[in-house]
Amino acid sequence: MGPRNLLEIEAFVAVAETGSVNRAAIRLNLTQPATTRRIQKFESAMGSTPLFDRTVKPAVLTAFGAHVLEHCRRVLAAVAELETCGNSRENISGVLKAGIAFGLEETLLSSPFDMLRRTFSRIKLDVTSDWSKELMEDVQTGSLDCAVGLLMPDQAGSLHLLQTPIGIERILVVTKAHQHNLGNERSYRLSDLSHQPWLLNPAGCGCRAALLSTFDRLELPIQIAAEVFGEDLQLSLLAQSGGLALAPQRQFENSPYREALEVLDVSDFDLCATISLMRHPVPGRFNTALNLMIEELQSAI
DNA sequence: TACCCTCTCAGTTGTGCGGT
DNA sequence: ACCGCACAACTGAGAGGGTA
């Protein structure tokens, strides 16, 4: 088997894992016909037993295909391992497509990415921000090589991704300091806060979804006064006009508005998110770089 | 050795077909 | 009507061989 067949194996694994030639093509940075052709060559090289059942739509792996897939994954993992041991850091090159969850950019991004640029001079970084849920899907489809996400408890462990926990982030309920209409309680319940104006991120934000789902479970109404993108802007508005907002603890502690804000102890809303680095389970060419990035992230927290 | 021609391979665009 | 897939035709890069 020459290196050409390795490309066909990658195409087969991509189609099997994404469930679609189109999505596989996106993962492989190819057009759909090119991906189809690689699959066809691989299938013909594997003999007459079909790898996909195309009588159903979308096509699914046959039992033989599933068997072959496991072998292919082992081959790709072995090749990645071989490349890792053969490559010096200076020789690892290419565009590393990384995602970072909204809200984590400023607190987490600088140190690990500085390290990558220093250590792997031939890696070009392509960094995008999005909600964690979207980032997970992008890593799953291969549009991203890795992503640092803020995962809610119900998101951790979902999808077939390798998730390395970096740290825990407590999500705080924050209000303007000395806000009179909340009284001077030491602890609140969500029922005390359901008629207060909330400033929340737009739909797509995991923290918002967790809060709304808790209100829903308790059958309480919630008054969303404004949908404001980004915790920085929310905290700024909160400091001026009052209301309630959610904020990751690190972001709150680093906020210039911190002195004008206070954290509420809400006894029936205790949300902790996991900061995780997500990547594909099959090690790729950036495996060494990602392992170092994890160490840097863990020391940055 | 340098240049040119030919062939092969892997990619793209354009398009048609079938299923939902 | 739209989407996903496969096929046909075309293109560009690279390898290999022949010739001056």
Side-chain angles (χ1 to χ4, degrees):
Chain A
M1 267 201 191
R4 199 188 71 193
N5 287 0
L6 207 54
L7 298 178
E8 292 161 10
I9 289 173
E10 283 176 345
F12 169 65
V13 171
V15 172
E17 290 182 348
T18 61
S20 145
V21 176
N22 268 320
R23 285 193 290 271
I26 293 167
R27 181 198 281 195
L28 298 169
N29 281 323
L30 291 175
T31 58
Q32 170 263 317
T35 308
T36 297
R37 199 150 73 176
R38 283 190 185 178
I39 294 295
Q40 287 170 339
K41 289 185 72 176
F42 183 69
E43 279 192 293
S44 71
M46 291 305 296
S48 55
T49 311
L51 300 174
F52 291 98
D53 178 3
R54 292 184 172 82
T55 61
V56 295
K57 301 282 179 180
V60 294
L61 275 182
T62 60
F64 178 60
H67 178 69
V68 170
L69 175 63
E70 288 314 306
H71 282 285
C72 289
R73 282 180 171 144
R74 285 203 287 274
V75 168
L76 293 182
V79 169
E81 204 174 326
L82 182 65
E83 286 176 343
T84 301
C85 77
N87 270 344
S88 68
R89 289 179 182 182
E90 293 74 29
N91 286 340
I92 300 175
S93 63
V95 179
L96 171 59
K97 289 176 284 183
I100 184 138
F102 289 138
L104 295 182
E105 302 99 323
E106 287 186 20
T107 45
L108 277 184
L109 204 57
S110 59
S111 147
F113 285 88
D114 278 351
M115 178 280 297
L116 278 181
R117 285 163 62 189
R118 280 196 317 272
T119 315
F120 302 92
S121 55
R122 297 182 61 189
I123 289 181
K124 180 172 177 280
L125 288 172
D126 181 358
V127 184
T128 54
S129 289
D130 207 334
W131 301 117
S132 298
K133 185 167 175 288
E134 272 65 33
L135 293 176
M136 288 172 86
E137 287 171 8
D138 288 344
V139 175
Q140 177 80 19
T141 62
S143 308
L144 290 177
D145 296 302
C146 70
V148 181
L150 194 59
L151 304 186
M152 298 301 128
D154 64 323
Q155 289 176 310
S158 57
L159 297 177
H160 300 295
L161 294 177
L162 187 59
Q163 296 179 8
T164 308
I166 307 295
I168 300 294
E169 183 76 71
R170 182 171 288 278
I171 308 299
L172 308 174
V173 177
V174 183
T175 186
K176 183 179 182 179
H178 317 301
Q179 194 160 324
H180 301 299
N181 58 355
L182 277 172
N184 289 314
E185 304 296 327
R186 296 185 60 155
S187 176
Y188 298 89
R189 299 183 67 80
L190 279 182
S191 54
D192 303 322
L193 309 178
S194 74
H195 293 288
Q196 297 294 323
W198 285 83
L199 277 61
L200 296 179
N201 271 322
C205 167
C207 299
R208 169 197 165 114
L211 179 74
L212 295 189
S213 126
T214 309
F215 267 102
D216 195 45
R217 184 164 43 78
L218 297 173
E219 297 181 350
L220 289 169
I222 180 166
Q223 188 194 336
I224 301 176
E227 288 188 342
V228 179
F229 179 80
E231 280 85 358
D232 280 342
L233 183 54
Q234 286 171 26
L235 296 181
S236 153
L237 291 172
L238 211 59
Q240 293 170 54
S241 316
L244 297 166
L246 297 175
Q249 185 163 3
R250 281 181 188 77
Q251 205 165 1
F252 170 74
E253 284 170 358
N254 292 322
S255 169
Y257 310 101
R258 186 184 166 175
E259 295 305 313
L261 300 169
E262 71 178 280
V263 177
L264 294 186
D265 173 20
V266 183
S267 60
D268 51 355
F269 183 72
D270 184 21
L271 182 60
C272 282
T274 308
I275 300 170
S276 285
L277 185 126
M278 301 169 284
R279 57 179 150 160
H280 200 265
V282 177
R285 64 195 156 131
F286 296 120
N287 205 37
T288 309
L290 293 182
N291 287 337
L292 275 176
M293 192 167 147
I294 287 168
E295 287 175 23
E296 192 72 22
L297 280 165
Q298 285 169 337
S299 66
I301 283 187

